[in-house]
Amino acid sequence: MDALTIIQRVTPLSMQDQQALLILFEEVSFNKHHNLIETGKNSHYLYFLKTGSCRIFYYKEDREVILDFAFPGDALISLNSYVHGKPGYETIQSLEPVTAYRINAAQLQSLFSNTLGIANWGRKLAEAETLKIEYRLMSKLFKTARESYQDLLDRSPELVNKIKLGFIASYLGISQVTLSRIRGKQ
């Protein structure tokens, strides 16, 4: 997914604002298992996936708990770093080689100060990421593992098939055996 499409998915911008924001988009590539954002560290960048997939997780009692997965077009942000400039709670790791667009958070904040359209774009981005968190919470509370698995498949079936079953089971909060049963009934 190209940078302009990603920008416009957040909210439409004028041509002038698009160009000002595009200048900040730096294309970077990472190998499999690279931590783009790390637990307990301040993230100085926001990322948008161009290709590949990532997992978002945190540590609980020395084990990893998967919060979500990210696919092309998705934002990779530590909201605590983005909003408060403090270390985040999550780790975001590539599941395969990925290409992403990286934006320096300080440069983006500077644009917010100078351009209302881009400031509104940044607000819309934060709102969208907050709604993703709310959706994950509501899914955990009110959806069955089967429904959550189907939602994941609907997002990116070709990439979901490449994700380790243990990661998907962790995301769904079930065992790998239960996940195998769910997949067998699909």
Side-chain angles (χ1 to χ4, degrees):
M1 185 172 291
D2 68 80
L4 187 56
T5 302
I6 289 170
I7 289 170
Q8 293 295 91
R9 280 179 64 181
V10 174
T11 194
L13 288 174
S14 70
M15 267 310 215
Q16 184 178 355
D17 287 347
Q18 287 175 26
Q19 292 307 312
L21 193 53
L22 272 173
I23 290 169
L24 298 185
F25 275 61
E26 174 190 5
E27 189 171 309
V28 292
S29 295
F30 300 103
N31 293 324
K32 183 177 182 176
H33 302 305
H34 179 82
N35 291 340
L36 285 79
I37 294 174
E38 293 186 66
T39 300
K41 293 186 177 179
N42 199 349
S43 177
H44 301 287
Y45 296 97
L46 292 75
Y47 298 89
F48 295 90
L49 273 183
K50 180 178 181 181
T51 63
S53 59
C54 293
R55 66 186 179 122
I56 303 160
F57 65 97
Y58 68 97
Y59 295 97
K60 181 179 181 182
E61 299 170 5
D62 295 329
R63 68 181 180 99
E64 298 172 354
V65 178
I66 308 284
L67 295 171
D68 204 357
F69 298 98
F71 304 110
D74 287 344
L76 305 173
I77 299 174
S78 168
L79 277 179
N80 209 34
S81 291
Y82 179 69
V83 174
H84 298 294
K86 295 182 178 178
Y89 309 105
E90 65 280 286
T91 294
I92 301 177
Q93 183 182 73
S94 58
L95 291 170
E96 59 189 319
V98 300
T99 303
Y101 299 106
R102 176 171 70 181
I103 299 176
N104 181 288
Q107 291 176 335
L108 182 60
Q109 292 292 334
S110 178
L111 269 183
F112 292 165
S113 299
N114 300 323
T115 311
L116 181 60
I118 296 175
N120 283 329
W121 181 88
R123 179 181 50 81
K124 287 287 192 185
L125 176 62
E127 289 171 356
E129 292 305 303
T130 302
L131 288 173
K132 281 185 194 176
I133 293 167
E134 179 184 59
Y135 179 80
R136 283 197 309 255
L137 175 62
M138 300 313 277
S139 291
K140 294 282 184 199
L141 292 173
F142 300 114
K143 289 190 176 189
T144 65
R146 182 182 312 279
E147 291 168 329
S148 293
Y149 180 67
Q150 187 59 53
D151 286 349
L152 185 61
L153 280 175
D154 292 344
R155 285 174 54 199
S156 187
E158 67 284 349
L159 292 176
V160 169
N161 290 328
K162 296 179 183 179
I163 297 172
K164 287 183 184 179
L165 290 181
F167 290 166
I168 295 172
S170 172
Y171 167 71
L172 297 172
I174 59 175
S175 70
Q176 287 189 52
V177 172
T178 303
L179 176 58
S180 293
R181 284 190 205 116
I182 289 170
R183 289 169 55 120
K185 293 179 182 178
Q186 293 284 341

